[in-house]
Amino acid sequence: MQFYIDSADIEEIKKANQRGWVDGVTTNPSLVAKTGRKHEEVIKDICAEVSGLVSAEVLSLDAEGMVKEGYELAKIADNVVVKIPMSEEGLVAVRRLSSEGIKTNVTLVFNPLQALLVAKAGATLVSPFVGRLDDIATHGTEMISQMTQIFDNYALDTQVLVASIRHPLHILESALVGADIVTVPYKVLQQIVKHPLTDRGIEQFLKDAQKA
Ligand code: E4P
């Protein structure tokens, strides 16, 4: 399973990348807004830092506008993936961009049938949001399990990128059902490195070594 970082903060991305944790990056308009910088500049900097795929989201709601923005974003770097919200217009844009060899990631997906349509449209990635489903008392990772099963049944090429990850259990459950990628906030990446018994063990080994 690949690990992407869900961030637009270049310092955070650099740190995670130097530790070897980052196979790719996802951004969204809210994350980019937090940086206070221009979208294009942020994406350019991230693409210069990371060799894996970097998702950059369009703001248009109509297919024509999405395709136009998609062309511009794809020009920034070879590893840009054009992120498109799930909608009828979005699926039209995905078909167009995919047929021209431009990579796409369909975002804001909340059920396996939406994902099936995304795969049929030829997207590179589909982003189901687990945390936001949990927020409304619906099992987010159950959706991932159904989605991976459907994708396996029909040998679909689109990769399942689990998004809206809030804690380590989301990552564990995604791995158990065979998701291709998880996109994880930096804080949660740090959480999965740590275990209190690891810390206690290191402390004890050091103490014993000093006694010898
Ligand atoms: C993914 O591509 C999104 O940027 C992100 O995972 C959304 O997460 P949130 O629901 O915590 O905002």
Side-chain angles (χ1 to χ4, degrees), residues 4-8 24-28 31 53 55 83 105 161 183:
Y4 284 13
I5 182 167
D6 194 30
S7 175
V25 181
T26 51
T27 65
N28 65 39
L31 293 171
L53 298 183
S55 289
K83 201 174 181 191
N105 171 6
L161 187 171
T183 188

Side-chain angles (χ1 to χ4, degrees), residues 6-7 25-31 55 57 83 105 107-108 110 127-133 135 161-166 183-185:
D6 194 30
S7 175
V25 181
T26 51
T27 65
N28 65 39
S30 310
L31 293 171
S55 289
E57 192 157 340
K83 201 174 181 191
N105 171 6
T107 189
L108 291 165
F110 292 95
S127 292
F129 277 37
V130 288
R132 293 190 194 189
L133 270 186
D135 289 345
L161 187 171
V162 183
S164 188
I165 284 191
R166 305 276 169 77
T183 188
V184 186

Side-chain angles (χ1 to χ4, degrees), residues 84 96 103 172:
I84 291 184
R96 280 265 298 282
K103 293 181 274 300
L172 176 66

Side-chain angles (χ1 to χ4, degrees), residues 114-136:
Q114 285 182 313
L116 185 52
L117 286 176
V118 169
K120 286 170 73 71
T124 317
L125 306 168
V126 59
S127 292
F129 277 37
V130 288
R132 293 190 194 189
L133 270 186
D134 288 355
D135 289 345
I136 57 159

